[in-house]
Amino acid sequence: MQETELKLELSQSGARSLLKENPFGSSPSVLQQISIYFDTPGWDLSKRGLSLRIRQSGNERIQTVKAGNGAAAGSFTREEWEQPVAGDTPILDDPQIRDLLAEAGPKLAPLFEVHVKRHSWNVIDGDATIEVALDLGKVVAADREASFCEIELEKEAGSPRALFALARQVDLLTPTHVGVLSKAERGYHLLGPAPGAVKAASTPLMSEMSATTAFAHIAAACLRQFRLNERVLGWSRDAEALHQARVSLRRLRSLCSICKSLFHDSRFDHLREELKWLASELGDARNIDVMVHRASSEALSSRLQNARDDAYAAVEASLSSVRARSLMIDATEWVSIRDWRTDQSDEALADQSARDFASEVFDKFWKKVAKGGKNLIDADDETRHKLRIAAKKLRYAAEFFEPLYNSKSEAKRHRRFITMMEDLQDQLGSLNDLATAHDMLAALELSDVAGAKDLYSADDKSKLLKDAAEAHDGLVDTRRFWR
């Protein structure tokens, strides 16, 4: 089977409020569930994006194998195979399951358990039927445990849009966030080190994919990266998590800009503007983090730390706002459902292969970077800023579409290209930090504090300009991997 599901996270107090309000039109059925999750000692199933559990509800035990896109936000669509079993030992007699699990069968052992009190409703909205499950539970692994609270909205019939409409109704009653962790992932996280900042990872792409399908996969991965880092920021003012949350939004905005020719949809510009707003809400805290790292005097460092506290408080307020929560629901719906073209006149463009599309993107931004970097040392800050944006889009595009260029020679050229891009971006990023430090310090009323001028000295700028020009020349001389 294929399940279509939207997952939402909420607080324990939010769950209590929801149970009290009970907006679902009937009394819930309540079940106690215990699920045992299995894997090999080397976590072979997890590495392949699979999970295997046996769930006991009352006297019934159901074995479920799930396979899905771990890069997605909201766990929107996954393949699953279910069968009743008599005990707590996996049964692999189905040929499809046996083939799916490959050689893992003999090595399978229980890793962790998930204990849940589930409140469930069937909600009918027009032609849509949705199973709503509110799970209050905990994951137990050896001597560790962690509680969680989430809502799963699963489409039984009708349009998947009904899931998002219901999610918005729930969010009006109690704050929710798009969920990005399955119960299996919660268990693996509990077994590993404490969660920290999450960097972007390569998104699996196939050569036969259309450009629109590739976009959807990459965009979902960006949303997931954002939410994973946002979760870290929920309990820690982690500078790297903030940076990676901002990176994920920049990557998604760049992806939308790179792929804008694929869309004929009135929502596109609105979502892109909302992503810009949310990224800007994280900007002050990130800029202060950079200055704290570079501060040369104790007086400046202390004042910046105070400013940092205020900036992170503002970040927390923005991330918990209705506007930010709604944006994540809207963006997840837009990426997942993919009805981006209101007319069918450009079907050929929508069906263009991802590789052909990517090569055209690379050519476009390569020309901008090559031309924009001429006379870099004598250029003004605005010109260098435009070059930095073009270079960022080129690098992100090269990372997004890397799996489509996987021959030995292409992979080698790609690695060299990314190394040169990183060098150029590092220099341009440092120049941008210098250019913005003066205004940032003035806004914080710190311009006259001892050590402030060290953050934007002319000597530093002169060296960075020289290094940036050399990095640009090196990139232009590097062989392109896509041609």
Side-chain angles (χ1 to χ4, degrees):
M1 296 190 303
Q2 186 178 79
E3 65 172 0
T4 301
E5 171 189 280
L6 179 64
K7 192 185 297 288
L8 303 170
E9 297 178 356
L10 70 167
S11 66
Q12 296 282 346
S13 61
R16 289 192 293 270
S17 297
L18 196 62
L19 287 170
K20 184 177 180 180
E21 294 283 341
N22 190 12
F24 303 118
S26 64
S27 297
S29 60
V30 182
L31 279 175
Q32 297 285 348
Q33 299 178 333
I34 299 177
S35 300
I36 304 172
Y37 284 78
F38 298 82
D39 206 334
T40 68
W43 297 4
D44 293 333
L45 299 190
S46 176
K47 291 173 182 175
R48 293 168 51 209
L50 302 171
S51 69
L52 168 61
R53 74 168 187 238
I54 294 177
R55 172 175 289 170
Q56 180 180 357
S57 298
N59 295 322
E60 182 183 52
R61 283 179 171 85
I62 299 293
Q63 174 182 290
T64 304
V65 177
K66 291 191 178 185
N69 180 8
S75 303
F76 194 69
T77 302
R78 292 182 294 181
E79 303 289 336
E80 67 174 12
W81 296 263
E82 291 188 342
Q83 67 182 91
V85 292
D88 291 333
T89 301
I91 303 299
L92 309 181
D93 54 358
D94 183 290
Q96 191 172 18
I97 297 299
R98 190 167 56 245
D99 292 344
L100 187 67
L101 301 185
E103 304 300 320
K107 304 174 187 176
L108 291 174
L111 281 190
F112 52 87
E113 296 182 359
V114 176
H115 298 240
V116 164
K117 183 177 183 181
R118 168 166 286 189
H119 299 76
S120 58
W121 300 260
N122 280 323
V123 175
I124 298 176
D125 182 9
D127 63 351
T129 302
I130 302 169
E131 181 183 352
V132 179
L134 172 61
D135 288 343
L136 293 83
K138 64 180 179 180
V139 184
V140 180
D143 60 346
R144 296 183 180 182
E145 66 176 57
S147 60
F148 65 90
C149 189
E150 64 184 24
I151 302 173
E152 294 178 356
L153 308 176
E154 183 170 355
K155 179 181 74 71
E156 299 291 330
S159 168
R161 287 200 176 280
L163 299 180
F164 295 93
L166 185 56
R168 293 183 182 95
Q169 293 176 31
V170 171
D171 186 62
L172 288 175
L173 294 174
T174 186
T176 62
H177 294 271
V178 172
V180 288
L181 292 180
S182 66
K183 292 181 176 67
E185 287 176 306
R186 292 181 186 275
Y188 288 107
H189 280 201
L190 192 60
L191 290 169
V198 178
K199 294 185 176 182
S202 177
T203 304
L205 301 177
M206 305 298 178
S207 57
E208 65 272 16
M209 274 184 179
S210 68
T212 50
T213 299
F215 167 85
H217 284 225
I218 299 165
C222 292
L223 288 169
R224 177 178 169 85
Q225 184 195 4
F226 172 77
R227 280 290 297 123
L228 288 172
N229 285 291
E230 184 186 20
R231 294 180 85 253
V232 175
L233 291 171
W235 64 75
S236 170
R237 290 181 172 180
D238 185 306
E240 183 60 19
L242 177 86
H243 174 52
Q244 292 301 328
R246 195 159 174 253
V247 165
S248 66
L249 295 174
R250 285 207 314 256
R251 285 168 60 87
L252 183 53
R253 288 180 59 219
S254 291
L255 178 69
C256 289
S257 179
I258 289 165
C259 298
K260 63 183 178 181
S261 62
L262 299 175
F263 310 117
H264 191 276
D265 185 339
S266 60
R267 295 166 296 174
F268 173 71
D269 289 332
H270 171 71
L271 284 172
R272 198 164 55 160
E273 285 303 307
E274 288 297 279
L275 291 168
K276 181 179 180 180
W277 161 77
L278 187 54
S280 70
E281 292 295 291
L282 310 184
D284 284 353
R286 173 57 185 167
N287 289 337
I288 293 172
D289 279 333
V290 171
M291 290 192 291
V292 166
H293 181 70
R294 297 182 59 221
S296 59
S297 78
E298 187 173 331
L300 180 60
S301 180
S302 176
R303 296 282 296 276
L304 284 171
Q305 287 288 355
N306 291 335
R308 181 182 189 271
D309 290 341
D310 292 341
Y312 269 81
V315 166
E316 290 160 7
S318 295
L319 293 178
S320 63
S321 68
V322 173
R323 185 176 182 181
R325 299 196 313 269
S326 298
L327 170 58
M328 286 298 109
I329 294 174
D330 293 347
T332 302
E333 178 182 30
W334 187 74
V335 168
S336 302
I337 296 181
R338 308 187 195 181
D339 55 345
W340 300 320
R341 307 202 72 82
T342 54
D343 64 53
Q344 303 303 312
S345 60
D346 294 325
E347 285 186 2
L349 178 61
D351 293 336
Q352 183 182 17
S353 79
R355 179 166 170 138
D356 288 347
F357 177 82
S359 294
E360 292 175 4
V361 166
F362 296 145
D363 282 339
K364 174 183 175 181
F365 286 102
W366 169 260
K367 291 176 183 176
K368 286 189 175 183
V369 170
K371 182 179 179 180
K374 293 180 179 179
N375 302 317
L376 184 57
I377 291 177
D378 297 324
D380 57 27
D381 288 338
E382 180 62 25
T383 299
R384 282 193 294 270
H385 176 69
K386 289 180 180 179
L387 171 63
R388 188 172 70 91
I389 297 303
K392 189 178 295 182
K393 289 180 180 179
L394 177 57
R395 179 189 166 182
Y396 285 159
E399 292 175 343
F400 292 148
F401 298 111
E402 172 192 2
L404 302 176
Y405 300 84
N406 55 11
S407 72
K408 188 174 180 179
S409 60
E410 287 172 340
K412 183 178 180 180
R413 295 201 303 269
H414 184 276
R415 286 193 297 271
R416 173 66 176 164
F417 185 84
I418 289 293
T419 298
M420 300 303 294
M421 283 296 313
E422 287 175 344
D423 188 20
L424 177 60
Q425 273 195 277
D426 285 346
Q427 308 307 326
L428 293 174
S430 295
L431 283 166
N432 186 67
D433 291 339
L434 287 180
T436 58
H438 180 275
D439 291 342
M440 190 72 192
L441 288 168
L444 296 171
E445 299 182 351
L446 298 177
S447 299
D448 296 328
V449 176
K453 290 183 172 55
D454 294 340
L455 296 179
Y456 53 92
S457 72
D459 290 342
D460 285 346
K461 184 172 184 178
S462 178
K463 182 179 185 305
L464 285 170
L465 284 171
K466 180 181 177 183
D467 291 344
E470 290 178 356
H472 179 267
D473 292 344
L475 175 65
V476 171
D477 291 338
T478 299
R479 186 176 178 187
R480 284 166 274 183
F481 65 89
W482 65 93
R483 292 297 184 192

